């Protein structure tokens, strides 16, 4: 038996930990004996929830516990540890306190407007608000990379039928996971697999080939391809270097749209039917890599390119990333409220209206770290 004396335990309460030798049978027998004495099993996440309720952790630190457990790479692990140590909490609290200072000035101007006192100028208030907006936007912009670090990067293989997408998936996985035949349209559905490139977790999706006038079953696969493309971080556009470019390649580029992508010239082991310059207008300034899924030529260059894309603009080791959509949404809503406050200050609206916007921004920042929250949100997070 090990006694953890409050307030220095994980939850901040008196806690006794029982360690039994042996395997699962011994542990389960001990557990059943304890339950017969009137104890109950903890709810999912209950100990972390108790730690939050008693002030040992704030909400972002509590979420970091789940991120720590689920970390699939060293970068994800380090990101979770940083958040658990309070890196994000400290940044949000600093922004919160800066806005409290702005709100105090506004409230004072409202309460003592007839006392002949002088308060800071509106220009100064606008500058203070703009500073907070800039810092919030910096955090919002970190979400894409933070999400990739925590959850892995989603990469989709797209191309017209029979360009070698499934062969490329197998080559990247180094196993025969996807069915490969000479018959166009073999892949009728999306197929997801996971692979690690250095210390980044990559989710690769093989997709049905995009072409005009597909068969009925194939058409459903193409529909799923488009859905997967929308959810991906990067598209690998696979072209068959041994076949001439046709209208299906043009259809492909239309489907990719503004999505970040690399152009892969597959089957480089065969005689090429066209040169890179033939696609220069459509693929202007994009990364183009010659590969052969059959021989493995160019695969290492492709992996390096994917990895560099994943860590693009990587910041210093002490940089703060947000990794959850909940954080990003609250930060975005806070910036909207602050931009409204700044605009209303510029046009000369009264302090009462400005204070409403500042208060809304404070509520959103507070919701991130748990200074104000809904009970059902806690049920969802700790569950």
């Amino acid at each position: 038996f090990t006694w953890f004396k409050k307030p220095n335990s994980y939850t901040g309460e008196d806690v006794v930990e029982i360690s039994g030798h042996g395997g699962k049978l011994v542990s389960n027998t001990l557990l059943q004996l304890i339950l017969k004495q009137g104890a109950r099993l903890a709810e999912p996440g209950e100990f972390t929830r108790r730690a939050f309720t008693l002030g040992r952790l704030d909400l972002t630190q509590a979420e970091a516990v789940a991120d720590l457990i689920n970390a699939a790479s060293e970068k994800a692990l380090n990101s979770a540890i940083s958040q658990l140590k309070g890196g994000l909490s400290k940044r949000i609290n600093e922004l919160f306190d800066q806005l409290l200072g702005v709100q105090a000035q506004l409230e004072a101007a409202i309460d003592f407007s007839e006392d002949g006192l002088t308060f800071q100028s509106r220009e100064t208030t606008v500058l203070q608000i703009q500073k907070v907006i800039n810092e919030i936007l910096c955090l919002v912009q970190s979400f894409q990379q933070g999400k990739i670090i925590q959850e892995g990067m989603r990469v989709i293989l797209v191309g017209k039928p029979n360009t070698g997408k499934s062969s490329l998936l197998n080559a990247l996985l180094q196993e025969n996971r996807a069915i490969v035949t000479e018959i166009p349209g073999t892949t009728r559905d999306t197929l997801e697999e996971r692979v690690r490139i250095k210390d980044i977790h990559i989710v690769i999706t093989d997709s049905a080939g995009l072409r005009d006038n597909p068969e009925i079953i194939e058409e459903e696969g193409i529909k799923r391809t488009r859905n997967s493309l929308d959810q991906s971080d990067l598209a690998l556009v696979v072209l068959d270097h041994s076949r001439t470019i046709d209208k299906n390649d043009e259809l492909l580029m239309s489907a990719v749209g503004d999505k970040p992508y690399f152009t892969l010239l597959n089957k480089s082991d065969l005689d090429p039917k066209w040169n890179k310059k033939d696609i220069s207008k459509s693929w202007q300034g994009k990364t183009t890599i010659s590969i052969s899924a059959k021989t493995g030529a160019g695969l290492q260059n492709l992996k390096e390119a994917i990895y560099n894309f994943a860590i693009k603009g990587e910041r210093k080791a002490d940089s703060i990333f947000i990794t959850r959509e909940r954080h990003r949404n609250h930060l975005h809503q806070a910036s909207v409220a602050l931009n409204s406050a700044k605009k209303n200050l510029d046009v000369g609206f009264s302090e009462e209206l400005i204070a409403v916007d500042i208060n809304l921004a404070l509520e959103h920042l507070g919701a991130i770290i748990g200074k104000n929250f809904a009970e059902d949100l806690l049920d969802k997070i700790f569950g």
Side-chain angles (χ1 to χ4, degrees), residues 170-182:
N170 291 340
L172 289 169
L173 296 175
Q174 296 185 326
E175 63 174 291
N176 293 324
R177 182 64 184 86
I179 298 173
V180 178
T181 73
E182 296 297 325

Side-chain angles (χ1 to χ4, degrees), residues 54-278:
L54 294 169
R56 293 284 289 169
L57 302 171
D58 68 24
L59 207 48
T60 62
Q61 291 174 301
E63 289 169 316
V65 175
D67 292 340
L68 192 68
I69 293 168
N70 296 319
S73 70
E74 187 176 348
K75 284 186 182 295
L77 185 69
N78 291 335
S79 174
I81 289 172
S82 173
Q83 189 167 313
L84 185 57
K85 288 180 176 179
L88 179 58
S89 307
K90 181 181 178 183
R91 181 70 60 84
I92 299 299
N93 274 305
E94 288 172 351
L95 297 176
F96 193 92
D97 290 342
Q98 289 176 43
L99 285 185
L100 276 182
V102 173
Q103 189 76 323
Q105 287 287 336
L106 292 170
E107 296 286 353
I110 295 168
D111 293 341
F112 305 104
S113 59
E114 299 177 357
D115 291 1
L117 300 175
T118 301
F119 301 98
Q120 71 179 26
S121 67
R122 286 183 166 234
E123 290 77 14
T124 300
T125 303
V126 167
L127 290 174
Q128 290 176 334
I129 292 174
Q130 186 60 58
K131 181 184 177 184
V132 175
I133 290 173
N134 292 342
E135 294 188 41
I136 286 176
L137 290 179
C138 186
L139 284 174
V140 170
Q141 289 166 2
S142 76
F143 174 67
Q144 186 65 23
Q145 189 176 352
K147 185 170 179 285
I148 287 174
I149 288 173
Q150 192 62 45
E151 300 178 9
M153 185 169 74
R154 302 192 71 85
V155 176
I156 184 169
L157 300 170
V158 292
K160 65 186 180 184
N162 220 24
T163 56
K165 299 184 297 299
S166 297
S167 296
L168 178 56
L169 175 67
N170 291 340
L172 289 169
L173 296 175
Q174 296 185 326
E175 63 174 291
N176 293 324
R177 182 64 184 86
I179 298 173
V180 178
T181 73
E182 296 297 325
I183 303 171
T186 299
T187 303
R188 303 297 183 96
D189 200 355
T190 55
L191 174 65
E192 271 193 9
E193 289 296 330
R194 297 173 182 271
V195 65
R196 279 187 64 179
I197 298 179
K198 297 184 181 181
D199 53 2
I200 292 291
H201 195 57
I202 308 292
V203 180
I204 302 179
T205 302
D206 183 20
S207 63
L210 296 172
R211 65 173 170 177
D212 284 330
N213 303 317
E215 300 172 12
I216 294 176
I217 299 176
E218 189 183 355
E219 187 174 354
E220 177 59 28
I222 290 175
K223 183 179 178 181
R224 296 186 183 189
T225 294
R226 295 182 188 278
N227 290 335
S228 297
L229 184 58
D230 290 339
Q231 298 169 12
S232 66
D233 300 301
L234 175 69
L236 301 181
V237 179
V238 184
L239 303 179
D240 186 344
H241 212 179
S242 67
R243 292 157 59 194
T244 57
I245 297 174
D246 58 26
K247 61 181 180 180
N248 285 320
D249 293 304
E250 296 173 4
L251 172 68
L252 174 64
M253 291 315 303
S254 175
V256 172
D258 295 330
K259 177 70 64 178
Y261 67 88
F262 296 159
T263 306
L264 307 185
L265 310 184
N266 193 24
K267 304 186 183 181
S268 61
D269 53 306
L270 303 176
D271 291 333
K273 289 291 190 290
W274 41 272
N275 297 318
K276 288 184 180 181
K277 64 181 181 180
D278 295 331

Side-chain angles (χ1 to χ4, degrees), residues 291-312:
I291 62 167
S292 170
K294 182 178 180 180
T295 67
L299 284 183
Q300 190 57 42
N301 292 337
L302 173 59
K303 290 179 181 180
E304 287 290 338
I306 293 173
Y307 181 78
N308 290 332
F309 179 88
I311 64 168
K312 63 181 178 181

